[in-house]
Amino acid sequence: MRVCPNDGAPAYNRFMDGLDASRSVDTDPHRTAIGHSYGTTLIGSAARQGELNADDVILAGSPGVQVAKAEDLDVPEGHVWNQEADGDPVPDIGRFGHGGTDWDGPWTIPSDERFGAHQMATDGAGHSDYWNENSKSLKNQALVVAGKPGDVELKPPPNPTPGMR
């Protein structure tokens, strides 16, 4: 059985809503949706299909999220974060299947400047290095989750693929 992000998106939205329903305190929560690789495509599909019940979105090694702009991810402006490690081939290869398209261009992925995500510094060297213990990548994710975005180390968008960014 083949499962696409479009099929899983409604269940993901129900899960995020369920986190709210299970809370027993009156304070406002801070919810962060974190996706890696194809999981980022699921988050994009969930935002496109319904209300993504999150305050921040972190995308790591994303091949694309089916939308062309961070503002389409259904979180407050300035609350979309992206990580692309040096040597991670997935974003540039995946853009052709999962990148978003609008009037600004085709196959846009979160690593592209025109997407509009904050580009978080990473120190990994490949597609699976975003959660290495004591890494800059993991620390930056933790700062977003903790609601301390001002302490996140940012970097310029990665070098563009010729003709793409």
Side-chain angles (χ1 to χ4, degrees):
M1 178 174 139
R2 183 171 170 249
V3 178
C4 296
N6 295 334
D7 297 335
Y12 186 77
N13 279 331
R14 287 191 303 273
F15 169 77
M16 294 297 284
D17 291 342
L19 292 176
D20 264 355
S22 67
R23 290 177 42 82
S24 61
V25 295
D26 291 332
T27 59
D28 285 335
H30 181 257
R31 294 167 305 271
T32 305
I34 302 174
H36 174 248
S37 196
Y38 202 54
T40 68
T41 308
L42 173 83
I43 290 172
S45 183
R48 190 177 47 75
Q49 291 186 45
E51 291 187 26
L52 183 62
N53 194 355
D55 301 296
D56 283 283
V57 170
I58 296 174
L59 309 166
S62 180
V65 294
Q66 300 183 346
V67 297
K69 298 282 190 291
E71 64 195 38
D72 297 328
L73 288 177
D74 198 30
V75 293
E77 183 178 347
H79 289 259
V80 177
W81 307 84
N82 185 64
Q83 292 181 313
E84 182 179 329
D86 291 340
D88 185 348
V90 171
D92 287 322
I93 293 170
R95 75 168 59 246
F96 300 106
H98 307 293
T101 298
D102 67 3
W103 290 107
D104 291 332
W107 306 306
T108 302
I109 60 171
S111 299
D112 294 333
E113 187 172 356
R114 69 179 179 236
F115 184 82
H118 295 290
Q119 302 296 321
M120 293 193 291
T122 62
D123 49 2
H127 189 62
S128 298
D129 290 345
Y130 298 99
W131 290 275
N132 289 347
E133 190 174 352
N134 298 317
S135 67
K136 185 184 305 184
S137 306
L138 188 58
K139 178 182 178 185
N140 281 330
Q141 289 182 39
L143 289 167
V144 172
V145 170
K148 299 180 181 231
D151 295 335
V152 171
E153 183 181 341
L154 301 176
K155 68 175 190 175
N159 288 330
T161 299
M164 288 289 121
R165 296 185 193 169

